[in-house]
Amino acid sequence: QVQLVESGGGLVQAGGSLRLSCAASGRTFSSYAMGWFRQAPGKEREFVATIIWSGGSTFYGDSVKGRFTISGDNAKNTVYLQMNSLKPEDTAVYYCAAITRPFLRASTYYLDAYDYWGQGTQVTVSS
């Protein structure tokens, strides 16, 4: 059984930083890409960032470009999200997700491309 477990969320003041981690486990787990989405109360789940293991390409949502950095270790099935210059509007539950089937790069921005999801970790940014 595949599990994705996020950690590192919490409460931070505006302008501060947090680093989220996600570890995937499962006897046969192997992914093509891993990413982060977020969902604020009353809003749809939003793409944040993804990393494609082959070549190391990274992609970001417009609202986090220049502030967030995704990284990871494919061999360890681990992905990180370094979040800097946090704003109150970054407040949300952050979800880790993995793509385990062949995919098109353009699809990585969309929820349907991802096969496995974590339970989420809360990030709250106070003003």
Side-chain angles (χ1 to χ4, degrees):
Q1 184 178 357
V2 174
Q3 280 192 315
L4 276 63
V5 179
E6 303 96 336
S7 61
L11 174 64
V12 64
Q13 289 189 331
S17 299
L18 280 176
R19 186 183 191 227
L20 304 183
S21 300
C22 172
S25 62
R27 189 170 61 89
T28 60
F29 181 81
S30 177
S31 66
Y32 290 92
M34 293 183 72
W36 293 92
F37 285 74
R38 67 185 183 186
Q39 189 166 18
K43 295 188 176 182
E44 294 185 351
R45 197 166 293 191
E46 173 191 25
F47 172 76
V48 175
T50 197
I51 182 167
I52 299 175
W53 298 126
S54 177
S57 296
T58 56
F59 302 92
Y60 296 92
D62 288 341
S63 60
V64 306
K65 281 180 182 176
R67 300 188 298 122
F68 290 11
T69 302
I70 188 170
S71 63
D73 187 333
N74 187 20
K76 296 182 179 179
N77 294 325
T78 302
V79 66
Y80 308 99
L81 186 68
Q82 178 66 43
M83 304 185 295
N84 298 329
S85 302
L86 282 161
K87 306 174 181 180
E89 50 264 44
D90 293 318
T91 295
V93 177
Y94 283 70
Y95 296 92
C96 172
I99 298 176
T100 62
R101 300 168 293 171
F103 67 102
L104 297 175
R105 286 195 171 204
S107 69
T108 58
Y109 293 89
Y110 304 101
L111 282 72
D112 289 349
Y114 296 81
D115 308 299
Y116 295 98
W117 293 82
Q119 293 299 307
T121 185
Q122 176 70 46
V123 171
T124 303
V125 184
S126 63
S127 57

